[in-house]
Amino acid sequence: MARIVVAEDDELQGELLRRYLEREGHEVEVVSDGVRALESVKDGRASLLVLDVMLPGLDGLQVSTRLREEGSELPILMVTARVTENDLLLGLDHGADDYLTKPYSPRELLARVRALLRRSAPQRVDGVLRAGDISLDPARRETRTSGRLVDLTRAEFDLLRALMSAAGSVLSRGQLLVALHGDGRFITERTIDAHVKNLRAKLELDPEAPCGIETVYGVGYRFSSTGETGPRAS
């Protein structure tokens, strides 16, 4: 499951997009103008922005440009009725990752969304997991953020590896306990909350740039596929 923001000023079209994406299991927020689109993704929780070009306030090209200027790597699927090659190139030049022209089939939309989410998920290169500024090397048991070596305990390292390996999926506290200690140790689930708190403190160079570990209330934790996070409370 991913959190997807849809910026579409046509109410019917926005509702159709919501239904398509929710059927895939995603959490969806629909906004109707460019300013609200920027506001909806600034907290870092979104995994993807589906962005119509023709929006009131700020149009889709302006929204995409603003996000890239601010350093955001949020995947953007731009949607428009414009069909010329110049229009497509213009959208890509303004920071879009992919471009979908209207009318389109639900299957094509969902295929594009899946492809973008796969590309933005943590990548394993030579056994090293990478997501945003974070890299985790299981063989060397090293973790770095923005190139800085982070000193993690064994439990913190194993917890982060479990979360990154299942990026985008929610892991319960019970599942994380098994990943850390197996089935044979009696340890309370609140131990996981303490480890998460310590991990966040060690990984975040800037409190305004969360590390990617998202609290899913009443369930457990999820590592955002974009390396960004949502609710912080444990």
Side-chain angles (χ1 to χ4, degrees):
M1 183 183 75
R3 182 174 187 271
I4 299 176
V5 174
V6 174
E8 170 61 70
D9 65 333
D10 183 303
E11 185 176 353
L12 177 58
Q13 189 69 20
E15 186 57 30
L16 287 173
L17 286 168
R18 180 199 300 277
R19 291 180 184 179
Y20 296 154
L21 295 168
E22 286 183 343
R23 286 174 186 168
E24 288 278 292
H26 301 303
E27 175 188 348
V28 183
E29 178 184 1
V30 179
V31 298
S32 58
D33 62 72
V35 173
R36 290 182 61 198
L38 286 174
E39 292 175 348
S40 294
V41 301
K42 69 180 181 181
D43 64 2
R45 294 181 58 206
S47 300
L48 176 69
L49 174 60
V50 179
L51 182 63
D52 189 62
V53 171
M54 302 300 293
L55 292 173
L58 296 172
D59 66 29
L61 297 176
Q62 292 172 309
V63 170
S64 183
T65 298
R66 183 82 61 86
L67 288 172
R68 297 309 183 226
E69 288 176 346
E70 293 173 354
S72 173
E73 297 182 358
L74 177 69
I76 298 173
L77 173 59
M78 197 165 281
V79 180
T80 182
R82 299 174 176 176
V83 296
T84 70
E85 182 180 10
N86 286 339
D87 292 323
L88 186 152
L89 294 175
L90 185 64
L92 297 177
D93 286 342
H94 280 73
D97 296 278
D98 200 357
Y99 204 96
L100 189 60
T101 57
K102 300 176 181 179
Y104 52 81
S105 71
R107 291 180 62 187
E108 181 180 11
L109 168 74
L110 296 176
R112 300 289 184 94
V113 166
R114 284 193 292 266
L116 284 174
L117 291 175
R118 281 197 303 270
R119 279 155 45 187
S120 64
Q123 300 297 309
R124 190 183 294 272
V125 180
D126 295 330
V128 178
L129 279 168
R130 303 181 191 277
D133 293 331
I134 299 174
S135 65
L136 184 146
D137 187 336
R140 296 184 177 183
R141 293 193 71 82
E142 288 184 352
T143 304
R144 295 179 182 271
T145 180
S146 299
R148 174 181 65 92
L149 188 64
V150 183
D151 184 19
L152 300 182
T153 66
R154 181 196 62 78
E156 290 164 357
F157 184 91
D158 290 342
L159 177 64
L160 181 60
R161 176 169 59 180
L163 287 166
M164 290 183 69
S165 296
S169 298
V170 180
L171 297 182
S172 70
R173 290 175 176 84
Q175 288 174 308
L176 291 170
L177 278 175
V178 171
L180 265 61
H181 303 297
D183 294 317
R185 297 183 59 175
F186 180 76
I187 300 175
T188 67
E189 294 187 354
R190 296 300 294 178
T191 302
I192 296 298
D193 299 335
H195 287 322
V196 168
K197 181 178 179 180
N198 292 335
L199 261 178
R200 286 169 169 164
K202 291 181 178 182
L203 293 174
E204 293 172 5
L205 297 174
D206 179 357
E208 299 300 318
C211 67
I213 302 174
E214 176 181 355
T215 301
V216 181
Y217 291 106
V219 183
Y221 295 96
R222 170 174 56 209
F223 192 90
S224 168
S225 61
T226 60
E228 298 167 324
T229 190
R232 295 295 314 277
S234 297

mmCIF file of all heavy atoms in Angstrom, residues 103-124:
data_model
loop_
_atom_site.group_PDB
_atom_site.id
_atom_site.type_symbol
_atom_site.label_atom_id
_atom_site.label_comp_id
_atom_site.label_asym_id
_atom_site.label_seq_id
_atom_site.Cartn_x
_atom_site.Cartn_y
_atom_site.Cartn_z
ATOM 1 N N PRO A 103 -8.051 10.370 -23.198
ATOM 2 C CA PRO A 103 -8.577 9.383 -22.240
ATOM 3 C C PRO A 103 -7.611 8.208 -22.076
ATOM 4 O O PRO A 103 -6.842 7.897 -22.980
ATOM 5 C CB PRO A 103 -9.886 8.940 -22.874
ATOM 6 C CG PRO A 103 -9.631 9.066 -24.351
ATOM 7 C CD PRO A 103 -8.730 10.275 -24.507
ATOM 8 N N TYR A 104 -7.655 7.565 -20.937
ATOM 9 C CA TYR A 104 -6.785 6.424 -20.679
ATOM 10 C C TYR A 104 -7.612 5.331 -20.006
ATOM 11 O O TYR A 104 -8.666 5.582 -19.437
ATOM 12 C CB TYR A 104 -5.616 6.821 -19.777
ATOM 13 C CG TYR A 104 -6.041 7.530 -18.519
ATOM 14 C CD1 TYR A 104 -6.500 6.820 -17.406
ATOM 15 C CD2 TYR A 104 -6.004 8.914 -18.440
ATOM 16 C CE1 TYR A 104 -6.909 7.459 -16.272
ATOM 17 C CE2 TYR A 104 -6.416 9.576 -17.297
ATOM 18 C CZ TYR A 104 -6.869 8.844 -16.213
ATOM 19 O OH TYR A 104 -7.279 9.492 -15.083
ATOM 20 N N SER A 105 -7.112 4.103 -20.091
ATOM 21 C CA SER A 105 -7.821 2.989 -19.459
ATOM 22 C C SER A 105 -7.352 2.855 -18.013
ATOM 23 O O SER A 105 -6.203 3.192 -17.687
ATOM 24 C CB SER A 105 -7.537 1.686 -20.205
ATOM 25 O OG SER A 105 -6.200 1.272 -19.990
ATOM 26 N N PRO A 106 -8.218 2.359 -17.133
ATOM 27 C CA PRO A 106 -7.794 2.113 -15.746
ATOM 28 C C PRO A 106 -6.588 1.193 -15.664
ATOM 29 O O PRO A 106 -5.707 1.388 -14.824
ATOM 30 C CB PRO A 106 -9.027 1.469 -15.115
ATOM 31 C CG PRO A 106 -10.177 1.945 -15.938
ATOM 32 C CD PRO A 106 -9.647 2.066 -17.332
ATOM 33 N N ARG A 107 -6.507 0.205 -16.539
ATOM 34 C CA ARG A 107 -5.387 -0.734 -16.506
ATOM 35 C C ARG A 107 -4.083 -0.030 -16.815
ATOM 36 O O ARG A 107 -3.047 -0.315 -16.193
ATOM 37 C CB ARG A 107 -5.618 -1.873 -17.503
ATOM 38 C CG ARG A 107 -6.747 -2.810 -17.116
ATOM 39 C CD ARG A 107 -6.927 -3.910 -18.139
ATOM 40 N NE ARG A 107 -5.746 -4.745 -18.244
ATOM 41 C CZ ARG A 107 -5.582 -5.697 -19.170
ATOM 42 N NH1 ARG A 107 -6.544 -5.907 -20.066
ATOM 43 N NH2 ARG A 107 -4.491 -6.413 -19.190
ATOM 44 N N GLU A 108 -4.114 0.909 -17.770
ATOM 45 C CA GLU A 108 -2.891 1.635 -18.099
ATOM 46 C C GLU A 108 -2.468 2.527 -16.935
ATOM 47 O O GLU A 108 -1.287 2.586 -16.569
ATOM 48 C CB GLU A 108 -3.082 2.490 -19.354
ATOM 49 C CG GLU A 108 -1.802 3.238 -19.747
ATOM 50 C CD GLU A 108 -1.972 4.088 -20.994
ATOM 51 O OE1 GLU A 108 -3.121 4.273 -21.440
ATOM 52 O OE2 GLU A 108 -0.952 4.568 -21.505
ATOM 53 N N LEU A 109 -3.440 3.223 -16.324
ATOM 54 C CA LEU A 109 -3.130 4.065 -15.170
ATOM 55 C C LEU A 109 -2.467 3.250 -14.065
ATOM 56 O O LEU A 109 -1.421 3.634 -13.528
ATOM 57 C CB LEU A 109 -4.404 4.710 -14.635
ATOM 58 C CG LEU A 109 -4.268 5.395 -13.269
ATOM 59 C CD1 LEU A 109 -3.510 6.701 -13.396
ATOM 60 C CD2 LEU A 109 -5.631 5.615 -12.623
ATOM 61 N N LEU A 110 -3.064 2.114 -13.704
ATOM 62 C CA LEU A 110 -2.544 1.314 -12.609
ATOM 63 C C LEU A 110 -1.178 0.732 -12.939
ATOM 64 O O LEU A 110 -0.312 0.618 -12.054
ATOM 65 C CB LEU A 110 -3.532 0.203 -12.259
ATOM 66 C CG LEU A 110 -4.890 0.694 -11.738
ATOM 67 C CD1 LEU A 110 -5.837 -0.482 -11.525
ATOM 68 C CD2 LEU A 110 -4.712 1.477 -10.449
ATOM 69 N N ALA A 111 -0.962 0.387 -14.201
ATOM 70 C CA ALA A 111 0.350 -0.126 -14.606
ATOM 71 C C ALA A 111 1.421 0.953 -14.458
ATOM 72 O O ALA A 111 2.536 0.676 -13.994
ATOM 73 C CB ALA A 111 0.301 -0.623 -16.049
ATOM 74 N N ARG A 112 1.088 2.187 -14.846
ATOM 75 C CA ARG A 112 2.048 3.292 -14.697
ATOM 76 C C ARG A 112 2.343 3.553 -13.226
ATOM 77 O O ARG A 112 3.486 3.811 -12.842
ATOM 78 C CB ARG A 112 1.495 4.559 -15.346
ATOM 79 C CG ARG A 112 1.191 4.471 -16.837
ATOM 80 C CD ARG A 112 2.452 4.412 -17.682
ATOM 81 N NE ARG A 112 2.130 4.433 -19.094
ATOM 82 C CZ ARG A 112 2.096 5.529 -19.846
ATOM 83 N NH1 ARG A 112 2.353 6.708 -19.302
ATOM 84 N NH2 ARG A 112 1.820 5.460 -21.132
ATOM 85 N N VAL A 113 1.296 3.522 -12.390
ATOM 86 C CA VAL A 113 1.469 3.750 -10.958
ATOM 87 C C VAL A 113 2.369 2.673 -10.354
ATOM 88 O O VAL A 113 3.303 2.972 -9.597
ATOM 89 C CB VAL A 113 0.107 3.786 -10.244
ATOM 90 C CG1 VAL A 113 0.280 3.684 -8.729
ATOM 91 C CG2 VAL A 113 -0.642 5.062 -10.600
ATOM 92 N N ARG A 114 2.109 1.415 -10.681
ATOM 93 C CA ARG A 114 2.925 0.319 -10.139
ATOM 94 C C ARG A 114 4.380 0.475 -10.549
ATOM 95 O O ARG A 114 5.293 0.250 -9.743
ATOM 96 C CB ARG A 114 2.369 -1.025 -10.597
ATOM 97 C CG ARG A 114 1.102 -1.452 -9.862
ATOM 98 C CD ARG A 114 0.773 -2.914 -10.132
ATOM 99 N NE ARG A 114 0.381 -3.136 -11.515
ATOM 100 C CZ ARG A 114 -0.872 -3.136 -11.960
ATOM 101 N NH1 ARG A 114 -1.874 -2.909 -11.114
ATOM 102 N NH2 ARG A 114 -1.146 -3.362 -13.218
ATOM 103 N N ALA A 115 4.602 0.853 -11.806
ATOM 104 C CA ALA A 115 5.976 1.008 -12.293
ATOM 105 C C ALA A 115 6.710 2.121 -11.549
ATOM 106 O O ALA A 115 7.877 1.963 -11.157
ATOM 107 C CB ALA A 115 5.971 1.294 -13.791
ATOM 108 N N LEU A 116 6.035 3.249 -11.322
ATOM 109 C CA LEU A 116 6.672 4.358 -10.619
ATOM 110 C C LEU A 116 6.959 4.006 -9.160
ATOM 111 O O LEU A 116 8.009 4.369 -8.618
ATOM 112 C CB LEU A 116 5.793 5.609 -10.694
ATOM 113 C CG LEU A 116 5.803 6.344 -12.031
ATOM 114 C CD1 LEU A 116 4.790 7.478 -12.021
ATOM 115 C CD2 LEU A 116 7.193 6.890 -12.334
ATOM 116 N N LEU A 117 6.041 3.302 -8.523
ATOM 117 C CA LEU A 117 6.258 2.907 -7.133
ATOM 118 C C LEU A 117 7.411 1.912 -7.015
ATOM 119 O O LEU A 117 8.192 1.965 -6.063
ATOM 120 C CB LEU A 117 4.989 2.318 -6.536
ATOM 121 C CG LEU A 117 3.836 3.308 -6.324
ATOM 122 C CD1 LEU A 117 2.588 2.582 -5.851
ATOM 123 C CD2 LEU A 117 4.224 4.407 -5.334
ATOM 124 N N ARG A 118 7.526 1.005 -7.985
ATOM 125 C CA ARG A 118 8.650 0.059 -7.963
ATOM 126 C C ARG A 118 9.971 0.797 -8.098
ATOM 127 O O ARG A 118 10.939 0.499 -7.403
ATOM 128 C CB ARG A 118 8.518 -0.962 -9.098
ATOM 129 C CG ARG A 118 7.545 -2.085 -8.827
ATOM 130 C CD ARG A 118 7.779 -3.241 -9.792
ATOM 131 N NE ARG A 118 7.682 -2.837 -11.183
ATOM 132 C CZ ARG A 118 6.566 -2.847 -11.887
ATOM 133 N NH1 ARG A 118 5.425 -3.233 -11.320
ATOM 134 N NH2 ARG A 118 6.557 -2.480 -13.151
ATOM 135 N N ARG A 119 10.017 1.771 -9.000
ATOM 136 C CA ARG A 119 11.261 2.494 -9.250
ATOM 137 C C ARG A 119 11.681 3.338 -8.060
ATOM 138 O O ARG A 119 12.875 3.579 -7.853
ATOM 139 C CB ARG A 119 11.106 3.379 -10.489
ATOM 140 C CG ARG A 119 11.281 2.588 -11.785
ATOM 141 C CD ARG A 119 10.586 3.195 -12.971
ATOM 142 N NE ARG A 119 10.742 4.615 -13.123
ATOM 143 C CZ ARG A 119 10.081 5.331 -14.036
ATOM 144 N NH1 ARG A 119 9.232 4.720 -14.839
ATOM 145 N NH2 ARG A 119 10.258 6.616 -14.133
ATOM 146 N N SER A 120 10.712 3.797 -7.253
ATOM 147 C CA SER A 120 11.041 4.668 -6.128
ATOM 148 C C SER A 120 11.267 3.903 -4.832
ATOM 149 O O SER A 120 11.674 4.483 -3.830
ATOM 150 C CB SER A 120 9.908 5.689 -5.909
ATOM 151 O OG SER A 120 8.709 5.041 -5.548
ATOM 152 N N ALA A 121 10.992 2.594 -4.845
ATOM 153 C CA ALA A 121 11.189 1.792 -3.635
ATOM 154 C C ALA A 121 12.675 1.601 -3.370
ATOM 155 O O ALA A 121 13.510 1.794 -4.256
ATOM 156 C CB ALA A 121 10.513 0.426 -3.813
ATOM 157 N N PRO A 122 13.051 1.240 -2.138
ATOM 158 C CA PRO A 122 14.453 0.986 -1.841
ATOM 159 C C PRO A 122 15.060 -0.011 -2.811
ATOM 160 O O PRO A 122 14.463 -1.048 -3.106
ATOM 161 C CB PRO A 122 14.408 0.421 -0.412
ATOM 162 C CG PRO A 122 13.179 1.018 0.176
ATOM 163 C CD PRO A 122 12.191 1.078 -0.955
ATOM 164 N N GLN A 123 16.227 0.294 -3.305
ATOM 165 C CA GLN A 123 16.891 -0.547 -4.286
ATOM 166 C C GLN A 123 18.034 -1.314 -3.628
ATOM 167 O O GLN A 123 18.766 -0.786 -2.790
ATOM 168 C CB GLN A 123 17.448 0.314 -5.431
ATOM 169 C CG GLN A 123 16.384 1.102 -6.178
ATOM 170 C CD GLN A 123 15.384 0.209 -6.867
ATOM 171 O OE1 GLN A 123 15.766 -0.704 -7.601
ATOM 172 N NE2 GLN A 123 14.110 0.461 -6.637
ATOM 173 N N ARG A 124 18.196 -2.568 -4.035
ATOM 174 C CA ARG A 124 19.286 -3.395 -3.526
ATOM 175 C C ARG A 124 20.352 -3.497 -4.610
ATOM 176 O O ARG A 124 20.128 -4.082 -5.668
ATOM 177 C CB ARG A 124 18.772 -4.781 -3.138
ATOM 178 C CG ARG A 124 19.786 -5.618 -2.388
ATOM 179 C CD ARG A 124 19.218 -7.003 -2.101
ATOM 180 N NE ARG A 124 18.105 -6.964 -1.189
ATOM 181 C CZ ARG A 124 18.216 -7.015 0.125
ATOM 182 N NH1 ARG A 124 19.411 -7.089 0.680
ATOM 183 N NH2 ARG A 124 17.143 -7.001 0.895
#
